[in-house]
């Protein structure tokens, strides 16, 4: 740009101003030096080759359009030669040192020592908290479980410590360590050229190939392919099982991108074919599980006499978006959702909760990132709407400082969005869904349950906490627990008694509580005294953060009234007009196709709309297959899985490696048919209680139990026998009917304890998120 002719190529070409209306017909990919500079400053280039390609493109476009003999063409040729010469000189010194450093550095990236991020460690003791950096902790021999100093101190010497691989250890066998060591990237040597490369650079699966007899580095692999020696490519994201939801989302993304291409072509005054495309996208549902969400202790104790459910059946799903970058599938976007179907009791019936969204900024071209990610959410809402879910809920809240959502280690130049930016993103997404007819109305949770002392339109009674949707990991359940605890402490303080261990069931308010009517100088009398105390406090809290809680109504009020009132939604047809002539009758279908609701009002006397369109089914039952992948069961389990294996996403090379390892995990054929699983679980139950049996299956299962107890590798280090058996034991523990007493199935209690620790860890993270939300709301109101 500092060259005397550099100004000619600094700014983008304006065909209208210069009168060259055929410019975009000849030049398919415009480029200028200002744009190259902006891409450099914003960290768009992930390798030197992309930078070199764009700079050369600036001058090659000028030569292509103007010709070499023109004034502009000769300037372009001169600058192109200057750039190539300077670029070559810069790398000449680096290349001269390559041979001397070859034995010490990775032959692919040229670096020697690469360190991972310091891993996040969580205490396996009663506290379950994060172990701070530079703090001392204690770990087992395999370094798979950790205890903080406080939990270690209270642990009894003769009491066995349970490990999450099913084994036991003693306090005296634990080793003291300090949380200050960042792990180093592992190496692997090529058997052909003998060069050492990082496993991350080579996309080498050390878990599956640790016993492999040979390894070929990418450079030697390219040479062998040139000699027509082909190898079998690993399975990618497109090879994963598809379902109706993933197909629907992919089609929606294609349609959204088509509109974006047309818009950009119109803005740039060029053809759609000349617009840069976002290709090789793939959406898959990798986890789909039926669960039972337990109601927390305080809520259950306080409202047990109101017939409030103790649990809610729910289906959790994990949706992933991949893009093939440089020939490698890279995981870019993930979304966790919870679906509460028609079999779920109120207040969760026929509602979906968008629990977590997360992404890493490697999607190319970057200009389509927002459109694609929003399309995933919009198409999901379209899909669940047609299955009969009438409301979707979103809590918009950035992660608390130091916490991750789904991906472990984001790129350093990817900032955590501010609260207002995240709310605006969700609002923009839902408004697009409304414009497409997917959402009928967008409101806040406060508007639905608190604003202007709103009452339940079906019962006429004021809303109480049992009327609020109760979602796993949401703000409301956690805040209700905190409010109930505070109320119990207040009551105990007034009574002059000590705080009880168990939550206290309150049948009537012990003191008037509510809002005051009037002004600050003349407060007047208390109002809302008849409303539940918890509801009053929630009203005060949520009034400061209304914009963070989105409610998207997907189906009509008539449909909601029908299904919530347990009426037959398939027969909700109103007929207007007294004439017996069919041609004079006007029908209104309620609760079927959302696009033909309010038919009589919207038709305006025209020909009646056909009711043979897609109808909303009465049942919300998911026709897709159940997909059990332990590390994707919850977003915390996936985060811990990535942390445990150093699957980071802070660099593109690491994102490629982490995605490749995740795909290898997903393609590992561990799933079994439902009937086989049921049969194996029956054998496990029999073998666990059988004293002496001649059955071969029973004897074999008992041998497997012994193997798991004695195995040195365990399922964490890749033992296939342990992995297979633990998958069955985990499934049993999740559905185990025995609660509060010992289950005879081996390791069941330990797996339950591990699940309780994971739940506690998740709730601690949710509490930090909720507390950060409350702090922001107080600061904003102040």
């Amino acid at each position: 740009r500092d060259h005397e002719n550099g100004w000619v190529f600094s700014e983008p070409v304006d065909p209208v101003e210069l009168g060259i209306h055929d410019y975009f017909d000849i030049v398919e990919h415009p480029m200028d030096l200002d744009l190259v500079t902006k891409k450099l400053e914003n960290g768009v280039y992930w390798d030197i080759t992309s930078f070199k390609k764009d700079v050369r493109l600036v001058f090659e476009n000028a030569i292509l359009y103007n010709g070499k003999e023109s004034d502009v063409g000769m300037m372009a040729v001169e600058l192109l030669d200057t750039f190539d010469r300077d670029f070559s000189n810069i790398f000449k010194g680096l290349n001269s040192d390559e041979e001397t450093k070859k034995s010490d550095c990775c032959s692919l990236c040229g670096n020697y020592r690469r360190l991972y991020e310091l891993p996040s460690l969580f205490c396996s003791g009663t506290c379950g908290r994060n172990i701070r950096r530079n703090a001392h902790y204690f770990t087992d021999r395999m370094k798979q479980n950790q205890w903080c100093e406080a939990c270690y101190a209270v642990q009894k010497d003769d009491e066995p410590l349970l490990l999450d691989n099913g084994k036991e250890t003693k306090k005296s066998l634990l080793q003291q360590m300090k949380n200050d060591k960042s792990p180093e990237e592992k190496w692997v040597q090529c058997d052909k050229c003998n060069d050492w490369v990082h496993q991350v650079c080579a996309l080498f699966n050390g878990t599956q190939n640790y016993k492999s007899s040979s390894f070929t580095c990418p450079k030697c692999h390219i040479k062998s392919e040139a000699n027509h020696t082909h190898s079998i490519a690993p399975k990618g994201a497109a090879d994963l099982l598809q379902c109706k939801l993933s197909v629907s989302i992919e089609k929606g993304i294609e349609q959204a991108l088509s509109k974006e291409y047309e818009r950009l072509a119109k803005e740039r005054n060029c053809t759609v074919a000349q617009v840069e495309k976002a290709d090789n996208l793939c959406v898959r549902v990798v986890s789909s599980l039926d669960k039972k969400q337990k109601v927390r202790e305080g809520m259950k104790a306080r409202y047990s006499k109101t017939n409030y459910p103790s649990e809610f059946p729910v289906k959790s799903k994990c949706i992933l978006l991949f893009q093939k970058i440089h020939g490698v599938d890279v995981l870019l976007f993930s979304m966790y959702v919870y679906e509460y179907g028609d079999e779920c009791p109120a207040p969760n019936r026929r509602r979906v909760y968008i629990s977590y969204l997360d992404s890493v900024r490697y999607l190319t071209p970057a200009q389509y990132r927002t459109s694609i990610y929003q399309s995933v959410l919009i198409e999901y809402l379209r899909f669940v709407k047609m299955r009969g879910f009438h409301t979707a809920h979103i809590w918009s809240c950035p992660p608390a400082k130091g916490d991750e959502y789904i991906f472990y280690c984001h790129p350093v130049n990817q900032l955590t969005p501010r609260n207002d930016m995240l709310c605006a993103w969700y609002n923009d997404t839902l408004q697009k869904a409304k414009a497409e007819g997917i959402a009928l109305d967008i409101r806040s949770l406060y508007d639905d349950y608190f604003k202007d002392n709103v009452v339940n339109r079906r019962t006429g009674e004021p809303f109480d906490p049992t009327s609020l949707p109760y979602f796993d990991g949401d703000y409301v359940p956690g805040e209700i627990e905190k409010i109930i605890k505070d109320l119990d402490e207040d009551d105990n303080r007034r009574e002059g008694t000590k705080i009880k261990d168990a939550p206290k069931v309150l049948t009537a308010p012990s003191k008037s509580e509510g809002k005051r009517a009037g002004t600050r100088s003349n407060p007047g009398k208390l109002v809302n005294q008849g409303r539940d105390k918890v509801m009053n406090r929630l009203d005060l809290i949520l009034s400061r953060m209304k914009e963070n809680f989105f409610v998207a109504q997907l189906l009509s009020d008539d449909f909601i009234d029908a299904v919530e009132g347990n009426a037959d939604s398939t027969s909700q047809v109103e007929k207007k007009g007294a004439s017996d002539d069919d041609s004079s009758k006007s029908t209104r279908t309620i609760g079927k196709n959302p696009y033909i609701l309010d038919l009589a009002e919207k038709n305006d006397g025209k020909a009646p709309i056909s009711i043979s369109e897609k109808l909303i089914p009465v049942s919300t039952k998911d026709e897709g297959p159940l997909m059990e992948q332990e590390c994707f069961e919850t977003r915390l389990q996936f985060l811990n899985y990535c942390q445990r294996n150093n699957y980071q996403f802070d660099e593109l090379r690491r994102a490629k490696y982490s995605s490749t390892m995740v795909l290898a995990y997903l393609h590992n054929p561990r799933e079994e048919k439902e009937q086989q699983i049921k049969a194996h679980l029956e054998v496990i139950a029999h073998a666990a209680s059988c004293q002496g049996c001649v059955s071969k299956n029973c004897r074999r299962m008992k041998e497997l139990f012994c193997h798991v107890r004695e195995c040195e590798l365990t399922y964490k280090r890749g033992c296939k026998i342990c992995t297979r058996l633990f998958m069955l034991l985990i499934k049993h523990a999740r559905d185990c009917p025995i609660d509060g007493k010992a289950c005879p199935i081996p390791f069941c209690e330990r797996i339950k304890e591990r699940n309780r620790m994971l739940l506690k860890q998740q709730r601690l993270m949710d509490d930090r998120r909720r507390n950060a939300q409350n702090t922001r709301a107080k600061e904003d109101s102040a």
Side-chain angles (χ1 to χ4, degrees), residues 759-773:
L759 181 60
K760 185 173 183 179
Q761 184 181 340
Q762 174 66 59
R763 285 179 176 174
L764 287 171
M765 199 170 291
D766 290 338
D767 287 344
R768 289 195 295 272
R769 185 183 174 204
R770 196 180 69 255
N771 292 335
Q773 177 83 63

Side-chain angles (χ1 to χ4, degrees), residues 18 32 66 162 309 334 426 567 642 685 698 775:
L18 299 175
D32 58 89
N66 298 281
L162 302 179
S334 179
Y426 277 118
C642 291
C698 177
T775 302

Side-chain angles (χ1 to χ4, degrees), residues 446-571:
Y446 186 83
D447 293 336
D448 270 4
Y449 295 96
F450 298 93
K451 187 177 180 181
D452 299 330
N453 301 321
V454 65
V455 297
N456 190 326
R457 69 170 184 271
R458 286 185 294 275
T459 64
E461 296 294 327
F463 285 116
D464 62 18
T466 62
S467 308
L468 297 174
Y470 196 90
F471 302 131
D472 189 15
D474 191 29
Y475 177 92
V476 171
E479 195 64 22
I480 286 177
E481 291 297 302
K482 180 177 180 297
I483 292 173
I484 290 175
K485 182 180 178 182
D486 292 342
L487 288 173
D488 288 346
E489 289 178 357
D490 291 345
D491 288 341
N492 286 324
R493 197 177 297 113
R494 293 191 195 100
E495 295 170 5
T497 59
K498 294 183 179 179
I499 300 174
K500 309 286 190 300
D501 290 334
K504 185 178 179 181
V505 179
L506 301 178
T507 57
S510 58
K511 182 180 179 182
S512 297
E513 181 170 321
K515 293 182 177 179
R516 285 191 178 273
T519 64
R520 178 178 293 183
S521 60
N522 184 20
K525 62 181 181 180
L526 280 167
V527 295
N528 289 347
Q529 293 186 54
R531 193 163 67 161
D532 186 277
K533 284 183 177 182
V534 177
M535 207 66 176
N536 280 335
R537 295 201 180 187
L538 266 179
D539 187 340
L540 179 62
I541 294 168
L542 293 180
S543 64
R544 298 193 293 255
M545 53 182 83
K546 305 172 190 176
E547 68 281 357
N548 291 93
F549 300 92
F550 294 93
V551 177
Q553 183 176 332
L554 306 179
L555 296 172
S556 69
D557 289 339
D558 294 324
F559 179 89
I560 297 174
D561 289 341
V563 295
E564 294 300 330
N566 296 320
D568 184 4
S569 60
T570 61
S571 62

Side-chain angles (χ1 to χ4, degrees), residues 233-239 329 660 663-664 667:
K235 292 182 179 180
D239 298 311
D329 285 313
T660 302
L663 284 170
H667 281 298

Side-chain angles (χ1 to χ4, degrees), residues 229-249:
T229 306
H230 297 289
S231 59
I232 300 175
K235 292 182 179 180
D239 298 311
L240 293 172
L241 181 67
Q242 277 190 306
C243 63
K244 289 183 178 180
L245 174 56
S246 63
V247 172
S248 177
I249 294 176

